[in-house]
Amino acid sequence: MQLAALATAPVRGRPLDDAQTEVSKSLMHVSVETTGAIGRRMTVSVPADELEREVSSRLSRLAKNLKLPGFRPGKVPRKVVEARFGGQVIQEAAGELIQNTYRDALGQQGLNPATTPAIEATKLERGADLEYVASFDVFPEIARLDLKGKQVERPRIEIQDHDVERTIESVRRQRVTWDPVERPAQRDDRVVIDFEGTIDGESFEGGAASDFPAVLGSGGLVEDLDEGLVGARAGDERKVKVSFSDDYPGKKVAGKTAEFTVKIKQVAEPVLPEVDEEFARAFGVEDGDRDKLRAEVRENLQRELDERLRRHLHDQVMNLLLEGNEFDVPQQMVDEEAQRMAAAIMGESAKRRSGAAPHVDTTVLVPEARRRVALGLILRDIIAKHSLVADAGRVRAKIDTMAASYEHPEAFVQWYYADQNRLAQVQSSVVEEQIVDLLVEEADCVDKEMSFEEFMNALGRRQPSAGEE
């Protein structure tokens, strides 16, 4: 008989009084079997008189209020009550005894379950001891809670004028317009083409298109085709041979050579906007002052850099903590985390599209879920070791930063503090930052001078545009 999750459910029915509880604690028998690095199987035996006392008490209360045809209220014979409801009462009595003894049994054995137990009553009959088995995982032992002797890299970076100019140039290219030209096409020109490709004289899927725009040298075309169009004019027709690499994503053409017939319909050169007052106003500089624009771009780059540096340190610390600890992770926690991740993905997908969100296969999320759970267990022990709580000043500063982009920042701050769940998310983030700060201080830090561009490229992240926060 399965009595799942009774240990975490609210206690129902009449609670045992203090005297009865003491009897249960002193007379119940508890044994524990290790079923793995973190698996435990706890067997609990509760004296028969405890079960009988609870059954008898419940039957008496039931008889006093029971109404059955042919009997006056409260006058139903005890034997009739037992015959009709004895099985149900035994189940309820056992459930309550399990709830009232499970925590005491854990305390007696010094166990701290990490997962909801699977509880099964293995012996349940009147006149005999109640016996049940609880199977669960305990929290693993974490060996390393510091980074002493570990090396952490701290990039040292200053935003330079050329970083600002490069970002403005990037924004200009995002706002490019195209002027048709009669001259031959060259790198950075945009061509509009019709093309059709064949392999051994046969057309292939994806090998033809009409009015296809491509900027030469940008990677929008395969390399051979891109190079074959340099020097072409509008109205030209060219035949270009293209050799697809063995690892080309299109498996049907990978490793093969195709011949493309290409008609060039237009060649256009890029025209970038001037960095003038109009350009500055487009990014919120009301008076069009270009120096103010550059100052804002610098501030945006600095905010982006600070966040990336914080994340860089965070990722190093988390990776070092994982490298320094190998332990079994409770599978139930991994499964629950994978489910939460799937729900979040489906929720975000539902926001971006109408209709039902697509199903997410949780099995592909398990490796990342396992990593998150493992880190959570390590951080849990670090928090306990150092008695860490979220610094109120840092929490407020983080919320103020979030509020800065809103029209009424103070209203946003009040809204955040009004909901404990929202506030708890920020507090958790701040505690994690405090952990990183603490562990970095203990580690062997190596400062590394880097340029802004070098650092951002190393992260594989694009530079922020002038208008981004």
Side-chain angles (χ1 to χ4, degrees), residues 6 11 34 42 53 62 92 126 131-132 136 173 182 196 212 214 221 235 305 345-346 405 428 455 458:
L6 280 174
V11 176
T34 298
M42 183 174 71
R53 182 183 297 114
L62 181 60
E92 292 176 354
R126 294 183 70 174
E131 185 176 280
Y132 65 91
F136 49 83
R173 291 190 176 279
E182 296 298 325
E196 182 176 5
F212 185 85
L221 296 172
L305 175 61
I345 292 170
M346 289 188 289
S405 60
S428 177
F455 177 67

Side-chain angles (χ1 to χ4, degrees), residues 109-293:
Q109 298 295 316
L111 294 172
N112 186 16
T115 57
T116 303
I119 298 180
E120 179 183 6
T122 55
K123 188 175 182 181
L124 177 56
E125 57 185 76
R126 294 183 70 174
D129 292 350
L130 165 65
E131 185 176 280
Y132 65 91
V133 173
S135 300
F136 49 83
D137 286 335
V138 295
F139 287 101
E141 292 290 332
I142 311 297
R144 285 291 303 269
L145 301 177
D146 61 63
L147 297 183
K148 292 177 181 176
K150 298 290 186 179
Q151 190 175 96
V152 174
E153 177 189 278
R154 286 192 302 197
R156 295 300 185 189
I157 302 164
E158 289 187 11
I159 303 294
Q160 304 293 335
D161 289 345
H162 60 77
D163 297 317
V164 174
E165 296 305 323
R166 184 170 51 251
T167 302
I168 292 176
E169 182 66 15
S170 176
V171 175
R172 292 179 70 207
R173 291 190 176 279
Q174 292 171 17
R175 292 171 170 254
V176 66
T177 57
W178 300 96
D179 277 0
V181 295
E182 296 298 325
R183 62 168 174 76
Q186 58 190 30
R187 185 180 177 85
D188 294 331
D189 282 347
R190 187 187 72 179
V191 294
V192 178
I193 58 177
D194 293 344
F195 64 84
E196 182 176 5
T198 59
I199 296 177
D200 297 330
E202 298 290 332
S203 299
F204 57 91
E205 184 179 353
S210 298
D211 295 323
F212 185 85
V215 177
L216 298 182
S218 68
L221 296 172
V222 291
E223 185 175 355
D224 289 347
L225 185 56
D226 191 288
E227 292 178 356
L229 297 180
V230 173
R233 296 174 181 270
D236 286 355
E237 183 172 295
R238 289 194 171 188
K239 290 188 181 296
V240 182
K241 286 190 175 182
V242 174
S243 296
F244 293 101
S245 62
D246 292 336
D247 59 353
Y248 188 76
K251 294 182 179 180
K252 292 183 178 180
V253 300
K256 298 180 180 180
T257 298
E259 184 175 73
F260 283 86
T261 300
V262 186
K263 181 177 181 180
I264 296 84
K265 303 177 78 171
Q266 184 189 77
V267 176
E269 64 182 7
V271 178
L272 301 180
E274 294 295 326
V275 183
D276 53 17
E277 292 183 0
E278 182 180 353
F279 184 87
R281 289 192 186 97
F283 291 97
V285 181
E286 294 183 0
D287 60 5
D289 189 305
R290 284 165 288 183
D291 289 337
K292 288 183 181 178
L293 170 65

Side-chain angles (χ1 to χ4, degrees), residues 153-164 166-167 301-302 304-306 308-309 312 447-461 463:
E153 177 189 278
R154 286 192 302 197
R156 295 300 185 189
I157 302 164
E158 289 187 11
I159 303 294
Q160 304 293 335
D161 289 345
H162 60 77
D163 297 317
V164 174
R166 184 170 51 251
T167 302
L301 291 179
Q302 189 65 55
E304 176 74 2
L305 175 61
D306 291 343
R308 298 292 177 240
L309 287 171
H312 181 63
D447 292 341
K448 183 178 181 181
E449 297 291 336
M450 298 178 71
S451 69
F452 176 79
E453 184 178 20
E454 181 184 6
F455 177 67
M456 298 302 284
N457 287 342
L459 292 180
R461 301 296 296 250
Q463 289 190 42

